């Protein structure tokens, strides 16, 4: 076992580091040793949060101001009320707290599961296998692979580097990437920013690749020590949370003023005594203050995220949950989203150069097979491939021909790597053996051809990477036996046009086309410009990535839902057009290349974005510009991306969506949503879920506020007309219990109305409480007001004997209580749908609503049949005629409300 000691790792050689950590290359740690070290060192996490238990949630619920207010009411009942009343009040308090705790606990568990799903991973060597493990499972001694676009998962001592450059600005403040060199050994006093043989947790690999040994994890990393001193950041509230918070703030003051006025006025008019005025005021305050509103928002968003996760869409920021339903334009990548991300080599031209082309392709590749690490150390799953799918396809085809990377890694040394640049549209790798230096180049045909001076015409030898030369340069320094039999001729303009036309033809057939070239030199080039000149063209490789079978239907759903799709790809225009046609884009859909985008001004490009469009040969900068211009058109924009260069566009979009399988760590961190399966269909499912979530939340809030407003209006009317507060304090507390359940659970669980994806997206500029929502809210509140007021007026006979109100006090309270419970159950059912009838929606389609309604009605039945409950909650016996009047009054008014709603359009 490795001792828990700190070392100056940058001053130790690679051999000393391996010895100190008891690990060997290239095998790495065994699974058993890794597990033992994980138990010893703990998980690789920074500032781990203490695990919350249900007791923490219970304590938070008990210390909420509104719960304390209810407990105060219970204490007053202890002194002023009867024993059974006190027991009843505290029993209801217990039920209410239990419901709050259950909802809150379930919400937190859902969010915890989302964080678990979004946990980043690292690629390590264990027991001689390349496996993908959660970053939290890394331990000192693990051998990890570093590739461009990924965060360094822990502090590592580098042992191999190939053109590796790391952005350490988050740690050192240095704005420029730092080039790394594993072979150097530094002084112990070397500053952090100058330790070229180290890579630190949290920094970003921006170029090249490397291999390192984990030397520190968790709080022992440089980043961990800094993060431990930082205060935990509070997540920003979403716009919807902010809106509901402001609404709750103002309604709290309005509720306090109205309830205080109602209680004081009732006492001054001698409608109630002082004790009942205080209890009624406290109970009314508890009912009317919308303390659950912010909680409902958080719960709805959290469970929306949980439901999205079940659709394979992992939410990183809650704002995405509420924004998804408003998406009106999707800028989507072709590779891996529209297509299957299953690239295969379909042709190599000329065929006689296939082996040589694949040798060069493998030299320019960072892809390698990895296995997903099982937490239970069970056998590994089917190997996946780390890196770009195109590179993976090239490596797999090369392996089939017996071209193995290990064959030249024993003989050749990697010297430089010039990664793929969207502007250059090519990449190159420099390898050396003795004095021979090979530059291998692959990229877009037009880009590579522009750098080629020679063409490989004939190749006889199968020797692995033997040098070829267009001149007799090699004969001056080496024997002719070191050269393979090859015919290299100048690449004329005519031949260059031939190769370009051939590439265009392959691209028009839907293939992705790469050109391969090489150059032999006597020295290592200093930059890409020097390396990528006077190249020898070897051939073309055509790859196919078939479109996903479900995409045409999904695009049709987008069109029906009023969502425009912009297809963006770095591929050739012919490839983009063919794939677009296969998945259902119209033949006359405009196609623009990156060069054409550069020539268009903003106004012209905005005009193009008002319709579906295909963008080919696009760079990340083009994608960012498109997103910004689309937003200026007041579109709600979703954009997909997978590379670290896509991060600006992902950040700029209203909803940034990263690919979970092939996306870089930088893209995933910049995104709001991660598609775990990279499917375009998953994105559309997420949009549908977002629309459903917002629609149900709107119904829930309308109903919740209507109940609050209806009760305030009922009590205020009673006091102003001399009837008094038509509820006993205990009744008000019970009403709060049932309204809570209805608002926060039942309506949120409503299934989608059938035409959910047949309507245009909602306007994100429209306020949540717009005119239509407010009219619905006030109509619902008025319905409850009329049900309760007419109910107790009819049953108590006040309309005929207005002067004998004092003698009807208990009867008024009993009839009001029953009318309210019946009315608000009927109102909830009436508000279930906005566009469909309940018959179309299905009377029993919402099981949560059905259960809640049955519980409420069952409670009324128990109150009617069991004398102690009747005495506690009604305090006055009602005849079956009274019950019938109240029932049909509630049913009739809710039917009237339902019919009236058809006179206006709902949100």
């Amino acid at each position: 076992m490795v001792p828990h000691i700190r070392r100056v790792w940058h001053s130790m050689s690679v051999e000393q580091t391996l010895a100190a950590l008891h690990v060997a290359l290239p095998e790495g740690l065994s699974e058993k040793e890794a597990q033992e070290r994980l138990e010893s060192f703990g998980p690789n996490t920074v500032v781990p949060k203490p695990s919350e238990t249900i007791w923490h949630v219970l304590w938070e619920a008990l210390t909420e101001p509104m719960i304390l207010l209810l407990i105060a009411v219970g204490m007053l009942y202890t002194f002023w009320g009867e024993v059974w009343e006190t027991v009843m009040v505290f029993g209801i308090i217990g039920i209410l707290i239990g419901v709050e705790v259950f909802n809150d606990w379930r919400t937190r568990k859902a969010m915890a599961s989302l964080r678990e799903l979004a946990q980043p991973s690292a690629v390590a060597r264990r027991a001689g296998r390349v496996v993908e493990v959660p970053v939290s499972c890394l331990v000192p001694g693990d051998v990890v692979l570093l590739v461009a676009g990924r965060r360094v998962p822990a502090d590592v001592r580098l042992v191999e580097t190939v053109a590796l450059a790391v952005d350490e600005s988050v740690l050192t403040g240095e704005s420029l990437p730092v080039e790394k060199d594993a072979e150097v050994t530094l002084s112990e006093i070397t500053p952090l920013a100058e330790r070229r043989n180290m890579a630190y947790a949290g920094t970003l690999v921006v170029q090249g690749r490397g291999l390192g040994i984990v030397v520190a994890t968790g709080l022992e990393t440089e980043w961990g020590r800094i993060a431990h001193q930082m205060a935990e950041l509070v997540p920003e509230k979403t716009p919807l949370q902010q809106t509901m918070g402001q609404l709750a703030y103002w309604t709290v003051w309005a509720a306090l003023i109205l309830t205080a006025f109602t209680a004081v006025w009732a006492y001054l008019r001698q409608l109630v005594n002082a004790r009942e005025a205080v209890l009624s005021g406290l109970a009314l305050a508890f009912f009317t203050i919308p303390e659950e509103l912010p909680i409902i928002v958080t719960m709805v968003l959290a469970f929306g995220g949980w439901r999205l996760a079940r659709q394979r869409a992992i939410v990183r920021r809650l704002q995405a949950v509420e924004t998804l339903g408003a998406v009106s334009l999707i800028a989507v990548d072709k590779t891996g989203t529209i297509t299957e991300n299953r690239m295969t080599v379909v042709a190599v031209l000329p065929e006689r150069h296939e082996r040589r082309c694949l040798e060069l392709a493998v030299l320019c590749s960072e892809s390698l097979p990895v296995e997903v690490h099982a937490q239970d150390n069970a056998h590994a799953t089917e190997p996946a491939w780390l890196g770009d799918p195109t590179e993976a396809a090239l490596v797999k085809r090369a392996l089939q021909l017996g071209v193995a990377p290990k064959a030249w890694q024993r003989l050749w040394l990697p010297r430089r790597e010039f990664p793929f640049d969207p502007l250059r549209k090519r990449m190159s790798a420099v390898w050396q053996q003795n004095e021979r230096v090979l530059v291998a180049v692959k990229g877009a045909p037009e880009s590579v051809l522009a750098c080629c001076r020679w063409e490989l015409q004939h190749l006889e030898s199968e020797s692995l990477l033997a040098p070829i030369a267009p001149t007799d340069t090699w004969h001056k320094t080496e024997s002719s036996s070191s050269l393979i039999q090859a015919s290299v001729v100048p690449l004329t303009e005519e031949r260059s046009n031939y190769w370009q036309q051939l590439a265009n033809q392959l691209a028009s057939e839907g293939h992705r086309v790469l050109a391969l070239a090489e150059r032999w030199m006597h020295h290592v080039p200093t930059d890409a410009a020097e390396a990528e000149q006077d190249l020898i063209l070897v051939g073309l490789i055509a790859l196919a990535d078939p479109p996903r079978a479900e995409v045409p239907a999904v695009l049709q759903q987008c069109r029906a839902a009023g969502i425009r799709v912009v297809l963006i790809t770095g591929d050739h225009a012919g490839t983009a057009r063919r794939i677009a046609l296969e998945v259902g884009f119209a033949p006359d859909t405009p196609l623009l290349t990156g060069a054409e985008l550069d020539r268009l001004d903003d106004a012209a490009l905005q005009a193009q974005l008002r319709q579906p469009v295909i963008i080919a040969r696009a760079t990340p900068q083009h994608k960012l510009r498109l997103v910004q211009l689309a937003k200026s058109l007041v579109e709600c924009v979703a954009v997909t991306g997978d590379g670290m260069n896509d991060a600006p566009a992902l950040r700029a979009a209203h909803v940034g969506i990263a690919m979970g399988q092939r996306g870089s760590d930088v893209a995933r961190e910049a995104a709001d949503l991660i598609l775990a399966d990279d499917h375009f269909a998953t994105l559309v499912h997420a949009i549908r879920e977002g629309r459903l979530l917002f629609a149900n939340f709107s119904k829930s809030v309308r109903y919740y506020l209507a109940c609050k407003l209806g009760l305030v209006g009922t009590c205020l009317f009673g006091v102003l007309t001399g009837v008094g507060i038509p509820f006993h304090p205990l009744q008000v507390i019970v009403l709060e219990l049932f309204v809570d359940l209805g608002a926060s659970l039942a309506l949120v669980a409503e299934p989608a109305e059938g035409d959910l994806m047949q309507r245009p997206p909602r306007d994100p500029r429209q306020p949540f409480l717009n005119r239509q929502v407010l009219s619905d809210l006030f109509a619902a509140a008025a319905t409850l007001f009329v049900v309760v007021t007419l109910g107790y007026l009819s049953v108590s006979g006040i309309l005929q004997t207005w002067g004998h109100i004092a003698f009807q006090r208990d009867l008024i309270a009993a009839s009001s209580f029953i009318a309210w419970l019946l009315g608000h159950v009927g109102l909830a059912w009436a508000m279930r749908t906005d566009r469909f009838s309940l018959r179309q929606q299905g009377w029993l389609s919402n099981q949560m609503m059905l259960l809640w309604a049955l519980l409420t009605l069952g409670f009324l039945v128990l109150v009617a049949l069991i004398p102690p409950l009747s005495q506690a909650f009604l305090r006055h016996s009602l005849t079956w005629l009274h019950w019938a009047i109240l029932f049909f009054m509630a049913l009739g008014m809710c039917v009237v409300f339902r019919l009236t709603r058809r006179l206006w359009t709902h949100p």
Side-chain angles (χ1 to χ4, degrees):
M1 178 58 63
V2 180
H4 287 72
I5 60 173
R6 297 190 58 80
R7 299 176 184 269
V8 188
W9 298 103
H10 57 273
S11 66
M12 300 171 61
S13 67
V14 173
E15 292 74 16
Q16 291 172 329
T17 303
L18 294 172
L21 293 169
H22 307 298
V23 62
L25 290 177
E27 289 79 10
L29 299 175
S30 67
E31 293 292 353
K32 179 181 179 181
E33 178 66 18
Q35 184 61 35
E36 291 176 354
R37 295 191 185 191
L38 183 61
E39 295 173 358
S40 176
F41 288 96
N44 180 31
T45 54
V46 177
V47 193
K49 297 180 181 179
S51 58
E52 287 186 330
T53 66
I54 197 168
W55 301 110
H56 293 93
V57 180
L58 177 61
W59 175 251
E60 290 181 11
L62 288 172
T63 54
E64 285 183 4
M66 294 304 104
I67 296 296
L68 292 176
L69 178 61
L70 194 58
I71 293 175
V73 175
M75 296 301 295
L76 289 175
Y77 265 105
T78 303
F79 295 103
W80 288 348
E82 308 216 2
V83 175
W84 63 266
E85 287 182 323
T86 303
V87 173
M88 191 67 64
V89 168
F90 280 105
I92 293 173
I93 292 173
I95 295 174
L96 188 56
I97 291 175
V99 172
E100 294 285 356
V101 169
F102 174 73
N103 286 338
D104 195 6
W105 174 248
R106 194 168 58 167
T107 299
R108 296 188 191 205
K109 295 293 286 183
M111 292 305 296
S113 65
L114 290 182
R115 287 193 294 268
E116 190 73 21
L117 285 172
Q119 182 178 218
S121 61
V123 178
R125 285 182 181 173
R126 288 191 176 172
R129 306 196 320 268
V130 178
V131 298
E132 190 166 11
V133 300
V135 167
S136 60
C137 294
L138 289 180
V139 296
D142 260 326
V143 181
V144 295
L145 283 74
L146 307 178
V147 294
R150 288 205 173 197
R151 294 280 180 188
V152 179
D155 287 1
V156 301
R157 171 57 165 95
L158 298 170
V159 297
E160 292 179 13
T161 53
V162 180
L164 182 67
V166 180
D167 179 0
E168 297 181 339
S169 57
V170 296
L171 196 62
T172 65
E174 173 62 48
S175 58
L176 296 177
V178 179
E179 293 187 0
K180 298 295 182 177
D181 186 354
E183 297 180 2
V184 300
T185 302
L186 304 172
S187 167
E188 292 187 7
I189 61 174
T190 303
L192 180 68
E194 299 177 12
R195 299 174 186 172
R196 293 182 293 129
N197 58 4
M198 297 287 296
Y200 293 100
T203 59
L204 171 65
V205 180
V206 297
Q207 176 181 302
R209 59 183 183 271
L211 193 68
I213 306 297
V214 174
V215 296
T217 59
L219 297 178
E220 295 299 316
T221 64
E222 296 293 336
W223 177 249
R225 290 201 297 273
I226 295 174
H228 185 60
Q229 300 170 359
M230 298 169 56
E232 185 177 357
L233 296 177
V234 179
E236 292 185 4
K237 292 185 179 296
T238 71
L240 191 58
Q241 287 175 312
Q242 294 173 358
T243 300
M244 293 298 103
Q246 294 170 357
L247 177 63
Y249 175 80
W250 290 110
T251 52
V252 162
W253 285 106
L256 287 174
I257 292 172
L258 287 173
T259 53
F261 171 79
T262 301
V264 172
W265 188 259
Y267 173 72
L268 292 177
R269 295 197 60 183
Q270 299 182 350
L271 299 175
V272 292
N273 56 36
R275 178 180 67 85
E276 195 159 320
V278 172
L279 291 176
S280 297
L282 289 173
L284 282 175
F286 178 78
F287 183 93
T288 55
I289 293 174
E291 74 279 0
E292 299 92 351
L293 202 54
I295 299 174
I296 291 174
V297 178
T298 302
M299 184 186 70
V300 168
L301 292 178
F303 276 98
W306 179 73
R307 287 196 295 265
L308 287 173
R310 297 177 62 187
Q311 300 281 351
R312 307 283 292 169
I314 303 170
V315 176
R316 293 195 70 252
R317 297 180 182 90
L318 282 180
Q319 183 173 349
V321 179
E322 65 181 76
T323 310
L324 273 170
V327 168
S328 57
L329 185 146
I330 305 175
V332 60
D333 276 333
K334 176 187 74 69
T335 304
T337 308
I338 295 294
T339 59
E340 293 185 357
N341 197 27
R342 185 170 51 85
M343 302 291 290
T344 55
V345 176
V346 295
V348 179
L349 299 175
E351 292 184 9
R352 62 182 181 275
H353 295 171
E354 180 176 12
R355 185 181 182 87
R356 189 75 173 193
C357 285
L358 291 171
E359 287 176 350
L360 296 173
V362 171
L363 285 178
C364 283
S365 173
E366 296 177 352
S367 186
L368 72 162
V370 299
E371 301 171 10
V372 178
H373 175 63
Q375 293 287 353
D376 57 358
N377 293 331
H379 61 277
T381 60
E382 182 72 16
W385 287 81
L386 175 68
D388 184 81
T390 300
E391 293 186 348
L394 296 172
V395 174
K396 285 189 286 187
R397 178 59 179 162
L399 290 173
Q400 292 172 358
L401 294 180
V403 179
K406 294 182 180 179
W408 62 73
Q409 286 178 352
R410 290 192 295 265
L411 303 173
W412 293 76
L413 294 176
R415 287 306 184 191
R416 298 296 299 270
E417 184 175 285
F418 304 105
F420 180 84
D421 186 333
L423 298 178
R424 291 171 31 244
K425 293 186 174 60
R426 59 181 178 269
M427 71 169 294
S428 55
V430 181
W431 295 74
Q432 183 174 10
Q433 183 188 49
N434 300 325
E435 296 182 359
R436 298 187 302 180
V437 176
L438 168 65
V439 180
V441 181
K442 72 174 171 64
E446 65 270 23
S447 174
V448 175
L449 284 169
C451 301
C452 289
R453 183 182 174 189
W454 310 93
E455 175 184 355
L456 179 62
Q457 193 174 56
H458 181 65
L459 182 68
E460 293 183 356
S461 174
E462 289 292 330
S463 300
L464 179 66
L465 294 178
I468 59 176
T471 67
D472 62 349
T473 303
W474 285 102
H475 292 275
K476 298 177 182 179
T477 56
E478 301 188 30
S479 65
S480 59
S481 61
S482 65
L483 296 173
I484 64 173
Q485 297 299 315
S487 174
V488 178
V489 298
L491 181 67
T492 63
E493 181 177 357
E494 181 181 359
R495 289 292 296 172
S496 180
N497 291 335
Y498 164 78
W499 286 110
Q500 186 61 60
Q501 291 173 3
L502 183 59
N504 292 343
Q505 179 183 347
L506 292 170
S508 67
E509 296 171 1
H511 302 316
R512 183 174 187 180
V513 186
L514 297 174
L516 284 302
E518 63 182 276
R519 182 188 183 191
W520 293 87
M521 304 177 66
H522 291 289
H523 65 279
V524 177
T526 58
D527 55 29
E530 181 184 2
E532 297 168 354
Q533 62 176 320
D534 296 335
L535 301 179
I536 304 171
L537 178 67
V538 178
L540 301 178
I541 296 181
L543 303 99
D545 186 10
R548 297 185 186 273
E550 72 275 9
V551 170
V554 173
L555 285 175
Q556 179 59 38
Q557 291 180 27
C558 288
R559 286 189 285 270
I563 302 172
R564 296 194 305 282
V565 178
V566 176
L567 177 62
I568 302 179
T569 179
D571 280 346
H572 188 277
T575 305
R577 172 69 75 183
R578 175 59 65 91
I579 294 296
L581 291 175
E582 289 185 15
V583 298
F585 276 79
D588 59 348
T589 303
L591 186 147
L592 300 172
T593 64
E596 292 171 333
L597 288 182
D598 293 332
R599 293 193 293 268
L600 290 177
D601 59 23
D602 289 350
L605 188 51
Q606 282 180 327
Q608 292 286 349
L609 291 175
R610 296 183 184 277
Q611 59 185 330
V613 64
I614 305 167
I615 310 294
R617 287 298 189 222
T619 67
Q621 289 71 31
H622 291 138
K623 183 182 290 189
L624 175 60
R625 184 186 176 204
L626 290 169
V627 170
Q628 292 172 332
L629 289 178
K631 290 176 65 177
S632 66
L633 291 173
V634 200
E635 301 278 1
C636 186
V637 182
V639 60
T640 67
D642 58 3
M644 60 182 178
N645 288 332
D646 291 326
L650 294 173
R651 283 288 191 192
H654 292 103
V655 184
I657 302 158
M659 302 298 105
Q661 294 182 349
R662 62 187 175 91
S664 66
D665 287 351
V666 179
R668 286 194 286 261
E669 290 176 9
D672 306 292
L673 192 74
I674 298 174
L675 301 184
D677 54 9
D678 294 3
H679 285 200
F680 182 54
T682 301
L683 172 56
V684 177
H685 292 328
I687 292 175
R688 182 182 183 278
E689 189 67 37
R691 290 189 174 191
L692 173 61
L693 182 75
F694 194 88
N696 285 350
F697 177 73
S698 177
K699 297 173 187 176
S700 180
V701 172
R702 274 180 275 159
Y703 169 77
Y704 179 81
L705 294 179
C707 289
K708 302 289 186 184
L709 187 60
L711 184 75
V712 170
T714 300
C715 294
L716 192 60
F717 174 82
V719 170
L720 293 177
T721 58
V723 175
I725 299 175
F727 298 101
H728 290 305
L730 182 62
Q731 293 174 332
V732 176
I733 295 171
V734 173
L735 296 181
E736 164 68 4
L737 172 64
F738 284 105
V739 170
D740 223 5
L741 288 171
S744 60
L745 294 177
L747 284 172
V748 173
E750 184 66 31
E753 298 184 47
D755 63 347
L756 190 64
M757 292 297 286
Q758 299 294 321
R759 358 174 161 153
R762 63 179 175 85
D763 188 348
R765 298 170 299 174
Q766 191 177 48
F768 180 79
L769 293 179
N770 54 60
R771 182 183 60 83
Q772 295 172 342
V773 170
L774 288 174
S775 64
D776 202 18
L777 190 159
F778 283 110
T783 300
L784 278 179
F785 169 79
V786 171
V787 167
V788 176
T789 304
L790 287 184
Y792 73 70
L793 290 178
S794 300
V795 171
S796 62
I798 294 178
L799 292 176
Q800 292 80 24
T801 59
W802 194 268
H804 301 284
I805 294 174
F807 299 101
Q808 306 294 330
R809 174 74 178 143
D810 288 341
L811 180 58
I812 291 173
S815 56
S816 298
F817 181 68
I818 295 170
W820 179 274
L821 288 177
L822 291 172
H824 93 281
V825 169
L827 184 66
W829 280 77
M831 297 181 75
R832 279 183 54 191
T833 59
D834 288 333
R835 291 171 171 80
F836 276 30
S837 68
L838 290 177
R839 180 182 59 81
Q840 292 173 307
Q841 183 74 349
W843 289 97
L844 306 181
S845 59
N846 188 341
Q847 297 180 353
M848 184 68 74
M849 174 68 73
L850 180 62
L851 176 62
W852 169 74
L854 291 176
L855 288 175
T856 306
L857 296 177
F859 171 75
L860 276 177
V861 171
L862 294 177
V863 167
L865 298 179
I866 301 177
L869 292 179
S870 180
Q871 178 61 29
F873 292 106
L874 300 183
R875 299 190 180 182
H876 194 287
S877 59
L878 297 178
T879 65
W880 289 110
L881 178 61
H882 293 156
W883 282 88
I885 291 174
L886 296 174
F887 176 79
F888 286 107
M889 178 74 68
L891 179 62
M893 287 306 303
C894 289
V895 170
V896 170
F897 168 76
R898 179 72 191 180
L899 295 175
T900 305
R901 296 180 81 209
R902 298 195 177 189
L903 299 178
W904 62 81
T905 303
H906 298 282

